[in-house]
């Protein structure tokens, strides 16, 4: 993507920080478990693609230590900039349109990024190209088509409204070129790209306070666009936000599928 034109959820909006916090609470434990399993050690060189916030970048910096390197890239680095400083280098970079910011990385990681990138194939090639022989790639992405509901237990009008707004969100994503079934294809794509030892799993949070926080931040961020597209009214969105704030809804996210492999 060039600039933020292709990305529905703009990093510069006020709610972006709340979304990053919620995503960290939901998904950092899974991400960290996978990276630990890939054998991260002091001295590793890592590329964090589409860094967004600072939680993964800061954790990687602790793991690789002063002898390592963490290159954190995004099309908008405003939230990641505070993590800059040895061993972290923050760069503005478009993974789907530019050459990788170096080669010989021990680890390349992208979370909830490629589903939004128009040229996903080029982005994946770039990430693999950046690995050293024996280097590890970990790609984690959502699959909204696999589980499309905001409330899987559609027990009343509140849940029905939540699911209708989630459908509107998916409509906006698709119009921006997001691939809503990308996550499930990751294992095959990594194998076809020549990686070895490919494995994958999925994490599907539900009824978590972080799910509630993420829903509220996302809906507020998209409110105007949902109304402009005729997908919801201001009144419906206001009612949904009140329902969310009540704390009585079992909200869910799309499954996040993690796939990893090794470059020979």
């Amino acid at each position: 993507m060039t600039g933020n034109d292709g990305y529905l959820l703009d990093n510069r909006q006020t709610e972006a920080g709340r979304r990053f916090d919620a995503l960290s609470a939901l998904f950092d434990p899974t991400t960290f478990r996978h990276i630990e399993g890939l054998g991260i050690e002091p001295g590793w060189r890592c590329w964090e693609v589409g860094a967004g916030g600072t939680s993964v970048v800061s954790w990687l910096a602790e793991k690789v230590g002063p002898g390592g390197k963490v290159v954190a890239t995004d099309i908008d680095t405003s939230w990641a900039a505070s993590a800059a400083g040895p061993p972290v280098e923050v760069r503005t970079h478009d993974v789907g349109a530019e050459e990788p910011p170096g080669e010989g990385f021990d680890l390349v990681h992208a979370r909830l990024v490629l589903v939004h990138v128009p040229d996903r194939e080029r982005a994946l090639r770039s990430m693999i190209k950046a690995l050293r022989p024996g280097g590890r790639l970990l790609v984690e992405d959502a699959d909204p088509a696999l589980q499309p509901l905001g409330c899987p237990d559609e027990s009343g009008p509140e849940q029905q409204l939540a699911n209708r707004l989630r459908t509107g969100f998916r409509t906006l994503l698709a119009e921006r070129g997001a691939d809503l079934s990308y996550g499930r294809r990751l294992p095959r794509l990594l194998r076809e790209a020549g990686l070895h030892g490919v494995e994958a799993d999925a994490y599907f949070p539900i009824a978590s306070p972080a799910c509630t926080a993420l829903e509220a931040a996302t809906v507020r961020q998209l409110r105007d666009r949902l109304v402009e597209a005729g997908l919801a009214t201001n009144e419906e969105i206001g009612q949904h936000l009140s329902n969310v704030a009540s704390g009585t809804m079992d909200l869910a996210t799309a499954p996040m599928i993690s796939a990893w492999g090794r470059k020979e």
Side-chain angles (χ1 to χ4, degrees):
M1 288 173 289
T2 302
N4 289 310
D5 294 341
Y7 192 36
L8 185 62
L9 296 161
D10 189 341
N11 283 3
R12 297 191 186 105
Q13 290 178 283
T14 304
E15 295 295 335
R18 294 185 178 91
R19 290 191 71 257
F20 289 144
D21 289 344
L23 290 168
S24 295
L26 287 168
F27 297 123
D28 278 0
T30 298
T31 294
F32 298 163
R33 172 172 59 86
H34 287 313
I35 295 176
E36 291 273 17
L38 293 175
I40 190 169
E41 297 178 350
W44 269 28
R45 299 183 70 250
C46 304
W47 176 18
E48 179 65 15
V49 181
T54 62
S55 65
V56 176
V57 174
S58 298
W59 184 87
L60 287 172
E62 289 184 8
K63 290 295 181 180
V64 305
K69 181 78 172 181
V70 179
V71 179
T73 65
D74 206 331
I75 55 173
D76 179 354
T77 60
S78 54
W79 290 97
S82 62
V88 176
E89 177 184 349
V90 177
R91 294 193 196 180
T92 302
H93 178 266
D94 183 345
V95 68
E98 300 180 65
E99 288 296 304
E103 296 187 2
F105 288 103
D106 300 284
L107 171 71
V108 176
H109 172 243
R111 186 174 77 189
L112 305 176
V113 175
L114 297 192
V115 68
H116 300 286
V117 175
D119 196 344
R120 284 173 283 274
E121 184 177 346
R122 175 174 176 173
L124 190 58
R125 287 199 309 268
S126 177
M127 292 162 64
I128 293 172
K129 177 182 178 181
L131 289 167
R132 66 165 175 82
R136 281 77 160 175
L137 175 68
L138 171 62
V139 182
E140 302 180 297
D141 239 315
D143 196 312
L146 193 61
Q147 193 299 105
L149 302 176
C151 290
D153 179 21
E154 195 175 79
S155 57
E158 296 88 355
Q159 291 76 19
Q160 291 169 359
L161 176 58
N163 287 338
R164 189 155 62 80
L165 291 179
R166 184 65 62 88
T167 298
F169 176 35
R170 290 189 294 113
T171 298
L172 293 177
L173 283 172
E175 289 175 351
R176 289 296 183 101
D179 184 343
L180 302 182
S181 59
Y182 186 66
R184 74 190 72 177
R185 293 200 291 276
L186 283 171
R188 173 173 58 83
L189 293 175
L190 267 56
R191 284 196 305 273
E192 290 177 349
L195 295 186
H196 293 255
V198 173
E199 297 182 53
D201 65 15
Y203 176 56
F204 171 35
I206 184 171
S208 159
C211 286
T212 300
L214 180 63
E215 177 73 6
T218 301
V219 170
R220 289 193 181 99
Q221 201 166 359
L222 295 178
R223 183 171 196 154
D224 291 345
R225 290 179 180 176
L226 287 166
V227 172
E228 289 167 4
L231 296 167
T233 66
N234 257 316
E235 292 73 22
E236 288 172 330
I237 294 173
Q239 182 60 58
H240 176 60
L241 289 171
S242 295
N243 296 340
V244 170
S246 73
T248 60
M249 301 182 72
D250 294 327
L251 292 156
T253 72
M256 184 181 76
I257 296 176
S258 303
W260 58 93
R262 182 184 70 257
K263 183 178 181 179
E264 288 294 304

